[in-house]
Amino acid sequence: MATAFVLAGCTTGLQFHAQDSKGNAEPAPPTEMITEELIAAEKRSSAQQGEQNLSRLMVPHPPPYTIGRGDVLAIVVWDHPELAGGGVTAATAAADAAGTGANSNSNAPQPGFVVDHQGRIQFPFAGLLPVEGLTEDAARALLTQKLARYIANPNITLRVQAYRSKRVYIDGEVKQPGLQAINDIPMTLVEALNRAGGLLPTADQSRIALERGDARYSINLRDLVQKGINPGNIMLAPGDVVRVHSRDESKVFVSGEVVQPKALTMHNGRLTLNEALGETGGISPLSGDARQIYVVRKTPERTRVFQLDARLTGSLAMAESFELRPKDVVYVAASPLANWNRHLSLLFPGALTSAVSVTNRP
């Protein structure tokens, strides 16, 4: 009777036993059969979850650079070298433009006017000049207006010599993670990644996180390209943190009656059930039950269990269309015959070996 009970139990399919934090039994999650309707519903759900409002990040026409606190300005009043003070003379400006200045090939501090903590510079005759938030052209016009009271038709050259006020941080799977200064070249997401040396082969292009204040955005580069959205229009702001996740953080675990159970790395956020089974050698022909292919998925709300019967018509097409998600567990149950052999071996150790030996005797 004990043997009959075990055999009956092993033919009912995969059994799930759930417990709460106190160890009390909970109802097992219902098994959802993988069908065309379920696949379509899952795709709609994934599309809704993936639709994040990135419009506030998109800036097709970036504005010019604005001066900030800590920036160093190079200011030249032509024909008036006495106004250079601790700044840049006309000769120095010409030498720097030609690349022959004394500091052109050294790490020595460049002369210039530093924007103070209140966003001002101090310039002869003009006094304390508020330049924070102004473009180079606007700052030049303001300084020209101030000096026109003392100099007839002042000819002024003003440019940002050192960009030190605005930075972004690039981390994760890039060649050179660290701080990147925002300069007159628009700091788009693509520009920031290129300045960081580009993505490593281990980078997951589907999982790029951008943190801006309390907001967090998840960016899928390949998905944007497929939708016809140019990632180069994503403009970074000062203080942004960009992290490129590793593909190793998005794995799918395949176990049970497959040829080679193992953890699989997703391909830039994509891996189908058919691909997962194929990369593990497929269902074991000796012990696997093609009727019982399960996908266990932990969601914030509950645990979901999907089942595929590979014997049905169109099951391979459904397996190719069923998208797995990171941390999914694919499990192939054993066939009734394989379960019978294993339980019999546990009940009567060595019985099958002895029977085979007796049968093989001459």
Side-chain angles (χ1 to χ4, degrees), residues 194-259:
N194 287 335
R195 290 190 193 181
L199 300 176
L200 294 174
T202 55
D204 186 350
Q205 297 186 25
S206 67
R207 297 184 63 207
I208 298 179
L210 191 155
E211 296 183 7
R212 177 174 296 175
D214 296 332
R216 182 181 178 89
Y217 303 90
S218 181
I219 300 173
N220 187 332
L221 287 183
R222 297 212 164 185
D223 186 56
L224 291 178
V225 173
Q226 290 177 356
K227 293 180 179 179
I229 301 175
N230 183 7
N233 290 336
I234 298 179
M235 187 64 56
L236 300 184
D240 281 358
V241 178
V242 177
R243 175 173 176 79
V244 182
H245 288 273
S246 171
R247 294 196 304 166
D248 292 336
E249 299 176 19
S250 303
K251 285 190 175 183
V252 170
F253 306 94
V254 184
S255 61
E257 306 304 317
V258 292
V259 177

Side-chain angles (χ1 to χ4, degrees), residues 51-301:
E51 287 181 358
Q52 194 174 16
N53 186 12
L54 301 179
S55 59
R56 64 181 61 184
L57 303 179
M58 298 290 180
V59 183
H61 305 289
Y65 181 84
T66 56
I67 299 169
R69 303 177 186 181
D71 285 344
V72 181
L73 304 183
I75 302 175
V76 175
V77 181
W78 296 92
D79 298 328
H80 292 276
E82 71 279 3
L83 297 182
V88 181
T89 64
T92 303
D96 288 342
T100 59
N103 295 323
S104 59
N105 295 320
S106 68
N107 294 323
Q110 296 290 327
F113 296 87
V114 180
V115 182
D116 65 15
H117 66 284
Q118 294 184 354
R120 306 169 303 178
I121 61 171
Q122 188 170 9
F123 198 84
F125 296 126
L128 292 175
L129 195 69
V131 294
E132 182 182 11
L134 301 180
T135 63
E136 291 181 349
D137 290 341
R140 183 186 304 110
L142 179 61
L143 181 58
T144 301
Q145 179 183 356
K146 295 288 184 180
L147 294 183
R149 302 174 183 176
Y150 310 97
I151 302 173
N153 300 321
N155 184 13
I156 300 174
T157 297
L158 184 149
R159 60 183 176 84
V160 179
Q161 189 169 7
Y163 299 89
R164 305 191 306 182
S165 63
K166 305 178 182 69
R167 296 182 178 182
V168 297
Y169 186 78
I170 312 298
D171 189 22
E173 301 301 304
V174 293
K175 293 182 180 179
Q176 298 174 353
L179 290 172
Q180 299 289 340
I182 298 178
N183 54 23
D184 56 332
I185 300 176
M187 181 63 81
T188 65
L189 176 61
V190 176
E191 176 69 19
L193 295 177
N194 287 335
R195 290 190 193 181
L199 300 176
L200 294 174
T202 55
D204 186 350
Q205 297 186 25
S206 67
R207 297 184 63 207
I208 298 179
L210 191 155
E211 296 183 7
R212 177 174 296 175
D214 296 332
R216 182 181 178 89
Y217 303 90
S218 181
I219 300 173
N220 187 332
L221 287 183
R222 297 212 164 185
D223 186 56
L224 291 178
V225 173
Q226 290 177 356
K227 293 180 179 179
I229 301 175
N230 183 7
N233 290 336
I234 298 179
M235 187 64 56
L236 300 184
D240 281 358
V241 178
V242 177
R243 175 173 176 79
V244 182
H245 288 273
S246 171
R247 294 196 304 166
D248 292 336
E249 299 176 19
S250 303
K251 285 190 175 183
V252 170
F253 306 94
V254 184
S255 61
E257 306 304 317
V258 292
V259 177
Q260 295 179 339
K262 57 183 176 180
L264 300 176
T265 301
M266 303 188 76
H267 311 303
N268 289 318
R270 184 184 182 278
L271 187 69
T272 66
L273 177 57
N274 191 39
E275 291 172 338
L277 293 174
E279 291 188 25
T280 55
I283 302 173
S284 173
L286 300 178
S287 59
D289 188 352
R291 300 171 301 176
Q292 300 185 70
I293 302 175
Y294 297 92
V295 177
V296 182
R297 176 175 298 163
K298 181 69 175 179
T299 64
E301 299 80 16

